[in-house]
Amino acid sequence: MAEVIVIGAGPAGASAALFLAKAGKETLVLDSNASMTKRAWIRNHYGAKDVSGPDLLKTGREQAETLGAKFIEEKVTVVDTNGGKKVTVKTESGRSYEASHIILATGAITELASAIGLELRDGREPRIKTVIATDGNGRTSKPRIWAAGTVAGVSVHTIITAGDGAKVAIELISELNGERYVDHDVLK
């Protein structure tokens, strides 16, 4: 059983996985390989020169894997909160995975959130009609289920969704640790 399952490996999901794994949390990322970032050409990402979406996704995944996150290409079809004690995730292939918490980072797609019964609200971005309602730190209307990135109502820009994934991971790590978690490395 993983501590956290991240559903989606776009900028929000991979960034959340990176922070979770670096904090020593057993992290599994399930991704359907449908990220809208795969079609992007990015010229406004702080700290990176022009980069293709596929290259950004590849680098983010490599960073998270280096820190211990495990990635599996699977489409999640069912999420069961088991009365709030743990979360079971089932995939299109019939596999099941369990975790203490999940983070939904499914980009513009809210079908899974709707099927779980999460509270939804109107989106603000063009072409993003519906998003998951959160408390501003990523908590949704169901215990143990968090949301990050565009699906949680932040801008579709990769730098913003990546930052939101990191923020939600920090909030979740803080909750798991019982104290505020801060991740700062220093030059040696």
Side-chain angles (χ1 to χ4, degrees), residues 3-67:
E3 272 186 274
V4 182
I5 293 174
V6 179
I7 301 172
S15 182
L18 190 155
F19 273 79
L20 288 159
K22 188 166 184 260
K25 306 304 178 192
E26 187 178 340
T27 305
L28 173 63
V29 182
L30 300 173
D31 184 55
S32 65
N33 196 24
S35 174
M36 69 176 109
T37 303
K38 288 173 34 176
R39 298 182 309 273
W41 179 251
I42 303 152
R43 300 182 68 201
N44 60 350
H45 206 297
Y46 176 81
K49 297 186 190 246
D50 294 0
V51 62
S52 72
D55 285 344
L56 184 71
L57 293 170
K58 180 178 183 262
T59 300
R61 178 178 174 154
E62 288 170 354
Q63 288 174 305
E65 285 177 325
T66 297
L67 294 168

Side-chain angles (χ1 to χ4, degrees), residues 148-182:
T150 302
V151 78
V154 302
S155 174
V156 298
H157 297 89
T158 59
I159 196 160
I160 295 171
T161 61
D164 194 58
K167 177 194 79 173
V168 171
I170 294 293
E171 294 299 331
L172 177 50
I173 295 163
S174 297
E175 184 172 299
L176 291 170
N177 291 352
E179 63 184 10
R180 186 68 183 163
Y181 177 76
V182 177

Side-chain angles (χ1 to χ4, degrees), residues 81 102 104 112-121 131-133 140-143 145-147:
T81 59
I102 67 166
L104 293 172
L112 187 58
S114 182
I116 297 167
L118 295 178
E119 181 183 336
L120 304 175
R121 62 178 173 83
V131 297
I132 300 169
T140 70
S141 58
K142 298 249 182 199
I145 300 179
W146 302 67

Side-chain angles (χ1 to χ4, degrees), residues 74-145:
E74 289 262 26
K75 181 177 181 179
V76 174
T77 56
V78 176
V79 174
D80 185 351
T81 59
N82 301 299
K85 298 189 187 306
K86 63 181 177 178
V87 182
T88 302
V89 173
K90 295 180 182 174
T91 65
E92 203 168 58
S93 71
R95 291 188 178 134
S96 290
Y97 303 91
E98 289 185 347
S100 296
H101 296 267
I102 67 166
I103 297 175
L104 293 172
T106 55
I109 302 169
T110 58
E111 291 168 358
L112 187 58
S114 182
I116 297 167
L118 295 178
E119 181 183 336
L120 304 175
R121 62 178 173 83
D122 291 339
R124 297 180 356 192
E125 294 282 301
R127 297 179 298 284
I128 308 294
K129 294 187 185 328
T130 308
V131 297
I132 300 169
T134 71
D135 67 355
N137 290 321
R139 289 177 195 84
T140 70
S141 58
K142 298 249 182 199
R144 301 182 181 276
I145 300 179

